[in-house]
Structures are given as structure tokens and as C-alpha cells.
């Protein structure tokens, strides 16, 4: 299942990240996870949350440029080699990863411990099909947000 | 009662437009008679003009042909400032019915005066302007030029009223209300600055109002230089025809020149305003077709005759016959002013060049601002460009490539690599009058 991630354009100047976060806080919107891509010039704040549509409206109303992007959340085993196991099928299917980051969840203990990684593929639909076929557990919003 | 559709479409024109079609020989006669009279008047009543003519051993009798105008001294903006407030008036206050003044961003404002006749002439050239844009009785005109000391508001107001159109005296500002009235009143034409209209288009989009579906069909835009690409953007995003109107308070206000439906330059109402093109450096008069600074002489202004006023607007004059049939000469749209130009590291730059580069990259004109600073004695130029939703991408490489393309496009145009900064939307201040494109923070 594909998830909608919000990307927000931020100017590289003090206070910009806080401005966006304050807005969401005021609207009682909880951010599940985020990642920040930054350059000397600007930053792109990537957010995952349950209420992404409401968050998008709130941010846009305040003048932020916001884009919804489809990403996949892949389950990985929390052990050495867990990520490598996932990357195998991705490479085998010839999928292009634009970026990835970790989702802050941990389930189970010991050998059963699981984490989630967020992937942005150039072609999310093709990625979804080949990863499912390869037996990778693609997580849904229900798995992540509840 | 049927409404007479006076306009320039279908061969009918407004009676006030008759001088637009004068045979050239007759037009030259009118110009010469008026020039002789105005020089006489200025010589007699304006001490500054008299002393400058005397310095050159000139009397009004020296003006025997139109070409003799080149012997007269120029008038520059500083002359109006130096004689503040009433030093250039040629009529006693009893005969002056109105005063206007410039915004005065650099010290004292400049003051201009009108007799009753002057106001009539002004109104008539505004009627001729609107008629050239195809407006007529029955049109509902939203006048969003500022009312007050600025000549734009009242000039357009009285012109549209005299044409017989219905005028909504909106004045500038309060954008949401402007859009509501435009929609609810069924406005068919609007007068404002082109940059403010672009702001209206943007805001209407945010409010969910589709300008394409409104009866609005014409925009009469002026008071600042604008480009052909801005016209395209306006026309594509609002389904109107955009006309360029030209004027300046020192001469009369709006209504010095207007674009006709041919959109190939602006017709100067040269029966009242005599144009010349000069080399801005040497002051030498240039032949038709050569680019230079527009110089205007008021041929009929009683209260404040202005001889050979240097407008600082850079353009080209043509006397080729226009498709619309007007015999009035035309100048090409003013894309730049000689005083808009700034010099950075010895290179002359016009904001229109930056605009051109941005349009090449993005296809539409984003909001931008040029900031000039000086760091350790070296001039720095930064171009701030607002990121639009269409150009925002969530991958760094796409944005970096946009940044790189803008930087390269500017370098191509001006030959200098400048700092480009992508900024969040709506962070560059919108103007409700003339757009501010350059902020010069250099300490000279």
C-alpha cells in the first residue's frame, strides 16, 4: 500500500522549520516521522502523518509550497543484514530509489524485532508490485499510524 | 433606447477620436501652431524657461518650424523639484482648478497643475485612449488606479466617465474586495498597474474565482514598464486583452499614449504631446527607428507648459502607417527606463533582462526581487525567486537543477554569475502600485 508523504519547501533561514511545526501543533496534527533534506540554499521537509490532507491544507493556507508524494513503507528485520535483505529484491527488480529514511517504530523483541524504512521510488506502482511479488512486507497506514 | 457603440471596431469611432486620424499635413500644422504658442507662454510666464532661453540667445520667434524645437533647452525632473511647489506654473492660481503631486520617494514631491482647459484636454486624450482599446458606453470599468494625488486614478476616472462608460472608483488595494466587485458587478474592463493585475489573477485563483468565466474583456495597464511576456501571462490566465497605456504626471498623467488593437506600439496623442527621441548620453536627437530616451513637449498645457521633458523611458519611434489607420506616430512599448538601470561591477543591467531569463526557464514570470549589496568593497547581486507549486519538487536534485538553470540563464543574458536564492512563496512583498524590482543596499 502506498502512503502519502508531504514535502514542504523551506528557505534556509532560522525559524522556518519551527514555523511549519508550530502550525501543525496548533492544529493538533501529529507528525509520525520526518526527514529533512537540506542544501546550502534551501531545505525540503518530508513528513509522514495520518492526517496528511488536513496538514497539507493547513500549511498551504499559510503560504507554504507543499507537495504530496507517494512513498512505500517497507518492513525490515531489526538485525544485521536486515536492510540488505530488502535491497536485494529492489536491485533485482531494477527499481530506482530517489531517497529513503527510517521510520521510528520498533515492534517485537529479539529475533522478531522489526523496523520500517520509507522509500521513495521513481515509479511507486512498479515498486509496489515487484516488492509484493518478492515477499517484502509493504506496510499500510494502519500498521504505522495506530 | 439603443446604445450607440462608439468604438474602433467595425469602422466606427468615437467623435473624440477624430484627431487620431488627421491627415499628416494638418497634424503638423496644428503641432507647429501649438508649439509656437506654448513656447511664447512659457517664455512669458515661467522664469526658469525664460532665463534658459536667454542664456542661449533664444526668443520665441526662433521657433519657425517643428525642427526648431531642438534649439530649446531640456526640462528634467530635478527642475520640477527645484522649483517646488509652484515655480513652473504659467497660470495664476485663480485659473488653476486642480493640483496633483508625485509620490516623492526621493525627497520633496513634484507638483503639477491644471487649468479647466487642461483638464478638458486630459479627459479627451483619456477618452481617445479608452476608445482605442474598444471600450464604449455600456462598459463597466473598474478603476483600480490609486485615487488621490497620483494622476492615475482621477485621470482614468474622468476619461471613462466622459466616454460614457460606467465607472467603479475602486482605487488600489483591498484585493479580495476588488475580486468580489469585479465578479458581482459584471466588470468588463479594468485599469491598474500590470503587476497588480497579476496579483489579482493569483489571488482570484486562491479564492476559487475563475477570471476566464467573468465578463471582463479588457485591461488598460500602465504606470510601470512591463514586458510582452507579462502580457502573454495576463491574457492566458484571465482571458482578457491587455492594453498598454502610457503617461506621466509631469506631462499630464495617463493618456499620453495608448496601444490600439494592432498592439504594435503605442500611439502618442501628438496633437498635444510632441515626441522626440534623444541619445540619453549626448542629448542629440536621433532619427526614427533608433532607440533612445523619449522626450516630450506639452503642446497645449496652459497651467504648466513643459518643454522637452526628459522622460528617462527608453524606446523607439516609428511613423510607419499603423494597421488601425491612425496617423499618430507610435513608440515601441517601454520595457525599461534609463533610471531603472543599475550598474553592477561595471555592467549595465536592466530588471527586464532578469525577467527575460526567468521567463525562459520557468515559462511564466515568478515573483522576483533583485537585491544589491556590497561586501568588502565588491558589489554583490542576489536574485530572489519565489518557488511556485508547479516548480517545487520533493527531490533535491530537481530543485538544484532549477536553481542552476536560473543562474545560467541570467549569466547568459547579463554576462555575470549572480547569487540566485529560491524563496518561499509570498515572501516577496507585492505592490499595489508600481512593482519594486530592485533593492539597492549598497552604501555609495
Amino acid at each position: 500500500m502506498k502512503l502519502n508523504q508531504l514535502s514542504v519547501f523551506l528557505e534556509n533561514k532560522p525559524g522556518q522549520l519551527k514555523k511549519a511545526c508550530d502550525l501543525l501543533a496548533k492544529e493538533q496534527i501529529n507528525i509520525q516521522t520526518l526527514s529533512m533534506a537540506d542544501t546550502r540554499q534551501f531545505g525540503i521537509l518530508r513528513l509522514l502523518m495520518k492526517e496528511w490532507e488536513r496538514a497539507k491544507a493547513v500549511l498551504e493556507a499559510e503560504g507554504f509550497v507543499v507537495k504530496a508524494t507517494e512513498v512505500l513503507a517497507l518492513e525490515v528485520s531489526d538485525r544485521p543484514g536486515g536492510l540488505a535483505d530488502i535491497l536485494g529484491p529492489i536491485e533485482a527488480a531494477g527499481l530506482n530509489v530517489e531517497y529513503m529514511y527510517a521510520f521510528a517504530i520498533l515492534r517485537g523483541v529479539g529475533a522478531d524485532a522489526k523496523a520500517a524504512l520509507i522509500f521513495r521510488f521513481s515509479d511507486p506502482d512498479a515498486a509496489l508490485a515487484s516488492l509484493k511479488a518478492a515477499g517484502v512486507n509493504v506496510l499500510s497506514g494502519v500498521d504505522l499510524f495506530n | 433606447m439603443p446604445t450607440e457603440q462608439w468604438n474602433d471596431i467595425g469602422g466606427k469611432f468615437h467623435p473624440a477620436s477624430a484627431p487620431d486620424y488627421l491627415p499628416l499635413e494638418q497634424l503638423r500644422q496644428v503641432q507647429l501652431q501649438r508649439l509656437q504658442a506654448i513656447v511664447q507662454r512659457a517664455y512669458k510666464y515661467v522664469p526658469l524657461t525664460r532665463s534658459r532661453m536667454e542664456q542661449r540667445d533664444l526668443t520665441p520667434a526662433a521657433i519657425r518650424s517643428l525642427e526648431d524645437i531642438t534649439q530649446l533647452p531640456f526640462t528634467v525632473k530635478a527642475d520640477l523639484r527645484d522649483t517646488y511647489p509652484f515655480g513652473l506654473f504659467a497660470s495664476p492660481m485663480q485659473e488653476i482648478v486642480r493640483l496633483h503631486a508625485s509620490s516623492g520617494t526621493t525627497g520633496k514631491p513634484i507638483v503639477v497643475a491644471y487649468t479647466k482647459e487642461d483638464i478638458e484636454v486630459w479627459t479627451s486624450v483619456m477618452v481617445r485612449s479608452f476608445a482605442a482599446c474598444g471600450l464604449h458606453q455600456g462598459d463597466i470599468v473598474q478603476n483600480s488606479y490609486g485615487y488621490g494625488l497620483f494622476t492615475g486614478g482621477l485621470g482614468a476616472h474622468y476619461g471613462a466617465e466622459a466616454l460614457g462608460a460606467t465607472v467603479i472608483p475602486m482605487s488600489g488595494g483591498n484585493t479580495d474586495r476588488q475580486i468580489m466587485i469585479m465578479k458581482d458587478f459584471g466588470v468588463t474592463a479594468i485599469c491598474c498597474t500590470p503587476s497588480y493585475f497579476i496579483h489579482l489573477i493569483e489571488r482570484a485563483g486562491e479564492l476559487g474565482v475563475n477570471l476566464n468565466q467573468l465578463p471582463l474583456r479588457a485591461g488598460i495597464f500602465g504606470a510601470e514598464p512591463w514586458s510582452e511576456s507579462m502580457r502573454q501571462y495576463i491574457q492566458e490566465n484571465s482571458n482578457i486583452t491587455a492594453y498598454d497605456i502610457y503617461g506621466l504626471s509631469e506631462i499630464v498623467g495617463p493618456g499620453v499614449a495608448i496601444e490600439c488593437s494592432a498592439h504594435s506600439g503605442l500611439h502618442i496623442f501628438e496633437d498635444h504631446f510632441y515626441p522626440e527621441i534623444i541619445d540619453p548620453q549626448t542629448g542629440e536627437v536621433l532619427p526614427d527607428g533608433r532607440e533612445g530616451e523619449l522626450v516630450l513637449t506639452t503642446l497645449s498645457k496652459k497651467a504648466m507648459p513643459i518643454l522637452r521633458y526628459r522622460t528617462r523611458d527608453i524606446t523607439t519611434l516609428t511613423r510607419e502607417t499603423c494597421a488601425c489607420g491612425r496617423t499618430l506616430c507610435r513608440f515601441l512599448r517601454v520595457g525599461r527606463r534609463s533610471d531603472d538601470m543599475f550598474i553592477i561591477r561595471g555592467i549595465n543591467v536592466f530588471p527586464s533582462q532578469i525577467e527575460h531569463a526567468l521567463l525562459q526557464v520557468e515559462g511564466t514570470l515568478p515573483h522576483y526581487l533583485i537585491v544589491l549589496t556590497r561586501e568588502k568593497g565588491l558589489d554583490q547581486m542576489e536574485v530572489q525567486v519565489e518557488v511556485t507549486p508547479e516548480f517545487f519538487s520533493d527531490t533535491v536534485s530537481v530543485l538544484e537543477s532549477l536553481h542552476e538553470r536560473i543562474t545560467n540563464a541570467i549569466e547568459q543574458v547579463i554576462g555575470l554569475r549572480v547569487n540566485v536564492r529560491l524563496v518561499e512563496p509570498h515572501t516577496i512583498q507585492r505592490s499595489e502600485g508600481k512593482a519594486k524590482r530592485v533593492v539597492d543596499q549598497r552604501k555609495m
Side-chain angles (χ1 to χ4, degrees):
Chain A
M1 196 191 145
K2 291 178 289 184
L3 298 172
N4 280 297
Q5 167 202 263
L6 296 186
S7 303
V8 184
F9 178 82
L10 292 181
E11 257 175 68
N12 212 345
K13 64 181 183 192
Q16 291 308 99
L17 177 59
K18 186 172 184 304
K19 205 173 108 191
C21 294
D22 283 350
L23 270 173
L24 297 175
K26 214 177 96 201
E27 291 294 322
Q28 297 284 310
I29 296 171
N30 186 35
I31 302 168
Q32 293 291 338
T33 188
L34 63 80
S35 131
M36 184 81 191
D38 66 299
T39 73
R40 256 179 352 127
Q41 296 280 343
F42 56 85
I44 302 169
L45 174 65
R46 299 173 181 137
L47 302 166
L48 267 184
M49 67 262 284
K50 192 174 174 181
E51 294 181 278
W52 66 274
E53 282 156 311
R54 195 158 73 87
K56 186 167 186 278
V58 165
L59 290 165
E60 281 177 344
E62 283 301 310
F64 282 98
V65 178
V66 187
K67 200 174 186 126
T69 316
E70 291 177 332
V71 294
L72 299 183
L74 306 183
E75 188 181 70
V76 285
S77 298
D78 190 8
R79 57 168 171 76
L83 175 59
D85 288 349
I86 298 279
L87 294 176
I90 291 174
E91 198 190 322
L95 299 170
N96 183 33
V97 179
E98 292 190 348
Y99 54 81
M100 57 166 289
Y101 53 95
F103 194 109
I105 59 160
L106 189 69
R107 283 190 308 202
V109 284
D112 288 332
K114 302 284 189 195
L117 293 175
I118 308 298
F119 280 82
R120 164 69 186 165
F121 295 100
S122 303
D123 184 347
D125 292 300
L128 183 61
S130 14
L131 291 171
K132 274 192 165 166
V136 174
N137 189 13
V138 182
L139 301 167
S140 69
V142 180
D143 298 325
L144 295 171
F145 301 142
N146 293 325
Chain B
M1 201 173 70
T3 313
E4 198 69 55
Q5 301 282 291
W6 296 115
N7 60 42
D8 284 11
I9 297 150
K12 287 178 103 176
F13 56 77
H14 193 283
S17 296
D20 294 12
Y21 304 89
L22 272 185
L24 282 179
E25 204 179 317
Q26 219 177 317
L27 178 62
R28 299 291 167 245
Q29 269 176 20
V30 169
Q31 287 178 321
L32 180 58
Q33 275 172 15
R34 289 183 175 167
L35 177 66
Q36 287 169 332
I38 208 82
V39 172
Q40 186 92 48
R41 187 177 179 85
Y43 184 80
K44 198 168 166 190
Y45 298 118
V46 184
L48 182 72
T49 307
R50 188 185 191 108
S51 68
R52 281 190 183 165
M53 284 177 66
E54 280 170 355
Q55 278 165 21
R56 296 172 179 224
D57 284 327
L58 277 177
T59 62
I63 307 298
R64 285 183 297 268
S65 70
L66 285 172
E67 287 68 46
D68 290 330
I69 195 171
T70 58
Q71 301 176 46
L72 296 171
F74 290 115
T75 306
V76 295
K77 195 167 202 155
D79 295 333
L80 280 84
R81 217 168 267 138
D82 295 345
T83 55
Y84 174 87
F86 305 148
L88 294 183
F89 291 7
S91 299
M93 204 52 92
Q94 295 94 297
E95 286 167 25
I96 288 170
V97 299
R98 184 153 358 128
L99 299 174
H100 278 283
S102 77
S103 46
T105 40
T106 41
K108 290 276 193 196
I110 57 158
V111 182
V112 293
Y114 305 77
T115 63
K116 193 162 172 287
E117 274 176 281
D118 292 338
I119 295 281
E120 279 161 14
V121 168
W122 187 13
T123 303
S124 78
V125 289
M126 282 307 294
V127 169
R128 291 160 69 183
S129 298
F130 287 133
C133 304
L135 303 195
H136 47 70
Q137 264 183 13
D139 267 315
I140 302 176
V141 180
Q142 179 162 342
N143 183 16
S144 307
Y145 283 120
Y147 279 67
L149 283 177
F150 171 55
T151 49
L154 290 183
H157 179 99
Y158 286 110
E161 231 175 58
L163 178 80
T166 309
V167 186
I168 306 170
M170 259 328 281
S171 198
N174 208 343
T175 307
D176 289 9
R177 198 176 167 78
Q178 299 259 5
I179 293 163
M180 182 190 81
I181 296 232
M182 182 187 291
K183 185 164 159 269
D184 295 349
F185 290 14
V187 165
T188 58
I190 185 165
C191 306
C192 60
T193 59
S195 55
Y196 186 59
F197 191 72
I198 288 176
H199 179 54
L200 279 174
I201 291 178
E202 274 186 3
R203 185 64 191 147
E206 287 169 8
L207 295 173
V209 175
N210 188 351
L211 292 185
N212 286 305
Q213 288 168 357
L214 302 185
L216 190 71
R217 66 163 211 282
I220 294 91
F221 303 125
E224 65 186 15
W226 51 303
S227 58
E228 206 48 42
S229 351
M230 277 169 84
R231 189 211 302 277
Q232 268 173 29
Y233 177 82
I234 287 172
Q235 297 194 153
E236 280 165 16
N237 288 280
S238 63
N239 196 24
I240 67 166
T241 308
Y243 295 90
D244 193 356
I245 187 165
Y246 176 86
L248 59 170
S249 301
E250 299 90 317
I251 297 302
V252 72
V256 171
I258 187 73
E259 241 176 22
C260 62
S261 52
H263 296 292
S264 58
L266 289 86
H267 290 282
I268 305 177
F269 296 114
E270 51 176 325
D271 47 330
H272 294 297
F273 316 111
Y274 186 83
E276 299 168 86
I277 297 287
I278 63 160
D279 179 321
Q281 254 78 50
T282 63
E284 172 205 358
V285 177
L286 299 174
D288 292 351
R290 285 272 303 278
E291 191 186 71
E293 182 180 334
L294 179 66
V295 169
L296 292 167
T297 298
T298 60
L299 293 179
S300 45
K301 210 147 175 265
K302 293 279 189 294
M304 201 169 156
I306 300 280
L307 305 180
R308 306 192 82 202
Y309 185 71
R310 295 191 55 164
T311 65
R312 300 285 163 196
D313 289 320
I314 303 291
T315 183
T316 309
L317 211 59
T318 169
R319 289 178 212 275
E320 282 166 30
T321 324
C322 181
C324 74
R326 282 183 178 73
T327 49
L328 303 171
C329 70
R330 287 167 287 156
F331 63 81
L332 299 181
R333 316 182 63 216
V334 174
R336 56 202 179 91
R337 290 174 52 82
S338 61
D339 54 3
D340 268 351
M341 190 194 81
F342 56 88
I343 301 175
I344 173 121
R345 299 187 204 167
I347 298 167
N348 296 354
V349 181
F350 289 94
S352 58
Q353 293 176 296
I354 304 301
E355 214 161 275
H356 180 74
L358 291 172
L359 273 157
Q360 271 188 336
V361 175
E362 300 209 18
T364 62
L365 187 63
H367 280 281
Y368 72 95
L369 185 71
I370 299 165
V371 182
L372 305 174
T373 53
R374 180 165 291 172
E375 285 166 29
K376 294 178 190 148
L378 188 62
D379 286 349
Q380 303 288 340
M381 172 172 160
E382 178 178 84
V383 181
Q384 301 180 356
V385 184
E386 281 188 6
V387 171
T388 55
E390 298 83 72
F391 280 88
F392 176 53
S393 160
D394 75 321
T395 46
V396 171
S397 58
V398 173
L399 281 183
E400 281 186 331
S401 136
L402 174 70
H403 181 265
E404 183 68 13
R405 277 183 296 142
I406 293 174
T407 311
N408 289 342
I410 294 175
E411 186 179 11
Q412 285 255 319
V413 177
I414 67 168
L416 192 68
R417 212 161 166 80
V418 304
N419 306 319
V420 171
R421 192 150 69 88
L422 300 176
V423 299
E424 288 167 23
H426 302 285
T427 48
I428 295 174
Q429 207 183 347
R430 301 299 192 266
S431 74
E432 288 178 347
K434 298 188 189 203
K436 190 160 180 60
R437 301 301 197 192
V438 184
V439 174
D440 196 341
Q441 300 172 337
R442 294 177 291 185
K443 303 267 183 299
M444 292 298 165

